[in-house]
Amino acid sequence: MASLDSLDFFLFRLSSHFTSPFAIFLLAQGCLISLVLAFGWACAAFVRNREINRIKKSMRNGNNFAFLCHDINDLEHSNQVDLPRVTVIMPLKGFGEHNLHNWKTQLTSLYGGPQEFLLVVESPEDPAYHAVSKLIEELEGSVDAKIIVAGLSTTCSQKIHNQLVGVEAMHKDSKYVLFLDDDVRLHPGSIGALIREMEKNPEIFIQTGYPLDLPSGSLGSYCIYEYHMPCSMGFATGGQTFFLWGGCMMMHSEDFREDKCGVVSGLRDGGYSDDMTLAAIAGAHKKLISSPSVAVFPHPLASDLNFGRYWNYLRKQTFVLESYVTRVNQIMNRALFAVHCYLSWGFVAPYCMAVIHVAAALRFHAKEYLVEEMNYSSGGLTMVWLLAICTFISLFSMWNLTRIEVLLCNILSPEAPRLSLASYNWCKVFVAMLVDNFLYPVSAIRSHFSQSINWSGIIYHLKDGKIRKIERLPKRQDVAPVFTDLGGKHLYGKKGLPTKGSFLGSLSKRLFQWHQPKRSE
């Protein structure tokens, strides 16, 4: 047998430990996590695909507007006039490359009932103010939309402050209120679908949805996509869920007018995260959260989304676990913190072990060491192969769910440019899975000990799970960030003003042409 040099001896000693019971346990755990993810994505794909088949069947039966509603008779004018009023509140901040199109899809909804849009900004200096003002001018006479200047928040996050100011200004006859983030790209029938579910089951406390990330090509964008994909399982139930996404939340207006279950006070008095706060309130009062199968929305990520902006986003996501409403909510957040950290590093560790084990095996084979004389076991390689197979199954299941959600989005928005899987790089997806799961515990631990976060130039300090102090950095490029994380939006100055009015006008006319057949059916 050839003599062992120092590197060979190190690899031999290290890889031999990977056949210990603890190492086998870790590798088996990695396989199990991959298979659980694959099963969850498969179940989510089944629910989304069932909705696709339902829509296609309805179209074959003569309902060419199945992407709007199940029953074509619902589009009769006699049924449309009885639809409830809804107020759509859109808290805005900054202006980026996808905002104009996202706002357009929200404002040109094909919901047939009375609706108003309240676009709430912090101040007229926000670039969103000028951009959306131009958009409303283009759509004048077509939509009931207005801009509200909310001012600075003092007791809660700026987003929650904007939402509550919008609630105070909503129409007195509004039955439902829909909160939409500015990165939500709605389908023509999304608002109608959410309201139909609320009307069908008045017990629903909150109706929600979830985004389908469209990576821009950078590793940071794939890390965002990978971070959201496991969460998508909880939103693809086609009904009751325990999860809530703040980008799309529909609730009963009376719950805010009367502060039922403390929704207003819970948000206003130290609230940091709108969805985590409302989800905690729903859990405490045993209220129903629901997510219909059609509530999946394309979410294109910024073309220049770098790794630094991904890290800032991850920091904000882990920081929400430090906010809570009740003692039970705090315990649940701590449990989620511990479980997520354990599973994240439990997912990454087997791959680190597998790389070293494979490297050792290849080196021993290349130098023709006699494995028998080294008392080297190949049991670890068997587990490595098993881990590779489980990883492939997991990636295939993720690909299949993404494929189905892309198809569903294309069906629900027949007038929009076709989405495609062609741009997805699945090698980057796998790398992003390792990077994101490695960094999550790092971010979570940092959030736990810092108890403060910089959110677009505003520093929030928590105490006992609530915001107790707010600091605003000077609006200078060398002090405060000038871009938000996912959308690459300008936060300061008058950048990003829409200049192509003809494009807006033509798109508006095209969308509103869909209204005419709907009214006459």
Side-chain angles (χ1 to χ4, degrees):
M1 182 182 74
S3 61
L4 286 171
D5 58 28
S6 58
L7 177 60
D8 296 334
F9 182 76
F10 172 75
L11 288 175
F12 166 68
R13 294 292 297 173
L14 195 59
S15 61
S16 64
H17 286 299
F18 290 167
T19 58
S20 66
F22 177 71
I24 296 299
F25 167 77
L26 283 182
L27 287 169
Q29 176 182 264
C31 295
L32 180 61
I33 293 174
S34 295
L35 291 178
V36 169
L37 288 172
F39 177 76
W41 286 324
C43 292
F46 172 80
V47 173
R48 303 291 192 196
N49 193 55
R50 184 176 58 190
E51 185 64 26
I52 291 174
N53 293 332
R54 185 201 61 76
I55 294 175
K56 289 182 175 180
K57 181 179 179 180
S58 183
M59 287 182 172
R60 288 194 299 269
N61 292 335
N63 181 8
N64 294 326
F65 296 96
F67 66 95
L68 291 177
C69 63
H70 298 180
D71 187 354
I72 195 171
N73 293 322
D74 291 340
L75 299 179
E76 293 287 348
H77 180 70
S78 58
N79 293 323
Q80 296 279 301
V81 295
D82 294 328
L83 291 175
R85 174 180 286 274
V86 59
T87 295
V88 182
I89 298 176
M90 302 155 59
L92 310 180
K93 187 176 182 65
F95 182 78
E97 60 182 299
H98 300 298
N99 282 138
L100 192 59
H101 186 72
N102 295 341
W103 295 337
K104 188 70 177 185
T105 64
Q106 295 172 3
L107 293 173
T108 56
S109 166
L110 296 188
Y111 176 60
Q115 55 185 336
E116 65 172 345
F117 296 87
L118 304 180
L119 301 97
V120 190
V121 296
E122 175 186 308
S123 73
E125 297 178 2
D126 193 311
Y129 180 89
H130 305 281
V132 82
S133 296
K134 184 70 174 179
L135 176 59
I136 292 177
E137 288 179 12
E138 295 289 340
L139 299 177
E140 187 176 1
S142 301
V143 297
D144 178 8
K146 62 180 179 181
I147 306 175
I148 298 176
V149 177
L152 302 180
S153 63
T154 57
T155 63
C156 59
S157 69
Q158 187 64 46
K159 178 185 177 182
I160 290 178
H161 175 69
N162 289 8
Q163 290 172 326
L164 294 180
V165 169
V167 165
E168 292 175 358
M170 67 181 173
H171 195 283
K172 62 181 180 63
D173 295 328
S174 286
K175 185 175 182 180
Y176 301 110
V177 57
L178 173 61
F179 300 102
L180 292 177
D181 280 358
D182 57 7
D183 57 357
V184 174
R185 185 166 294 183
L186 284 188
H187 306 294
S190 293
I191 295 180
L194 293 171
I195 288 181
R196 276 193 299 274
E197 292 298 319
M198 297 288 280
E199 290 284 284
K200 187 186 304 180
N201 184 3
E203 296 300 317
I204 294 177
F205 183 58
I206 309 175
Q207 192 89 265
T208 190
Y210 205 64
L212 167 62
D213 290 326
L214 306 175
S216 58
S218 65
L219 179 60
S221 67
Y222 278 101
C223 287
I224 297 294
Y225 164 76
E226 188 282 328
Y227 176 81
H228 284 158
M229 282 305 290
C231 302
S232 66
M233 303 173 193
F235 293 86
T237 61
Q240 182 175 357
T241 180
F242 298 101
F243 299 90
L244 182 59
W245 178 52
C248 174
M249 302 185 299
M250 177 173 283
M251 301 179 65
H252 296 270
S253 299
E254 286 302 313
D255 290 344
F256 286 90
R257 293 191 182 101
E258 302 177 7
D259 194 17
K260 292 183 178 178
C261 302
V263 293
V264 174
S265 55
L267 291 168
R268 180 192 59 216
D269 301 334
Y272 166 75
S273 171
D274 53 340
D275 48 13
M276 292 291 285
T277 300
L278 290 174
I281 291 174
H285 293 84
K286 295 181 171 49
K287 295 291 186 177
L288 175 62
I289 301 175
S290 178
S291 180
S293 302
V294 295
V296 55
F297 311 107
H299 181 215
L301 300 172
S303 58
D304 58 348
L305 197 159
N306 57 32
F307 197 79
R309 294 218 295 276
Y310 152 70
W311 170 251
N312 289 335
Y313 176 78
L314 184 62
R315 282 276 289 116
K316 289 194 297 186
Q317 294 303 302
T318 56
F319 189 73
V320 299
L321 294 179
E322 300 304 313
S323 64
Y324 51 87
V325 179
T326 63
R327 177 64 177 172
V328 173
N329 184 213
Q330 180 188 19
I331 295 174
M332 292 182 64
N333 283 1
R334 288 288 178 266
L336 184 60
F337 171 95
V339 171
H340 200 155
C341 288
Y342 174 81
L343 292 179
S344 290
W345 276 349
F347 178 82
V348 174
Y351 292 98
C352 297
M353 297 171 57
V355 168
I356 297 176
H357 205 81
V358 170
L362 291 176
R363 189 169 179 86
F364 296 162
H365 178 75
K367 292 201 171 185
E368 299 181 349
Y369 292 126
L370 296 179
V371 174
E372 293 81 2
E373 294 184 22
M374 295 169 55
N375 194 27
Y376 175 78
S377 172
S378 61
L381 281 180
T382 302
M383 291 301 299
V384 169
W385 276 109
L386 184 59
L387 179 64
I389 294 172
C390 293
T391 301
F392 175 80
I393 294 173
S394 178
L395 286 172
F396 177 81
S397 185
M398 184 194 295
W399 168 85
N400 185 55
L401 174 59
T402 306
R403 177 187 66 85
I404 289 175
E405 289 188 337
V406 163
L407 178 58
L408 179 58
C409 287
N410 286 335
I411 292 176
L412 294 173
S413 293
E415 83 295 345
R418 301 291 84 185
L419 303 180
S420 172
L421 279 177
S423 62
Y424 283 73
N425 184 322
W426 294 96
C427 291
K428 281 190 175 180
V429 170
F430 174 67
V431 173
M433 292 174 71
L434 298 179
V435 171
D436 182 65
N437 281 286
F438 174 78
L439 290 179
Y440 183 92
V442 177
S443 176
I445 293 171
R446 180 177 175 183
S447 295
H448 176 69
F449 287 103
S450 69
Q451 290 295 297
S452 64
I453 190 73
N454 184 336
W455 189 350
S456 301
I458 305 175
I459 301 179
Y460 298 104
H461 299 268
L462 294 185
K463 183 178 180 181
D464 298 328
K466 296 183 179 295
I467 292 177
R468 288 294 181 259
K469 183 180 178 182
I470 300 176
E471 293 182 84
R472 287 179 167 81
L473 299 178
K475 296 181 179 180
R476 302 202 321 265
Q477 293 188 12
D478 60 334
V479 177
V482 294
F483 291 100
T484 55
D485 305 317
L486 304 188
K489 298 183 295 183
H490 289 278
L491 297 180
Y492 311 125
K494 298 182 179 181
K495 300 181 181 181
L497 289 179
T499 58
K500 297 184 179 180
S502 59
F503 168 75
L504 291 176
S506 62
L507 184 56
S508 175
K509 291 178 182 178
R510 184 180 179 188
L511 277 172
F512 277 100
Q513 284 175 354
W514 289 88
H515 257 302
Q516 304 306 318
K518 183 181 76 169
R519 294 290 188 181
S520 60
E521 281 295 323

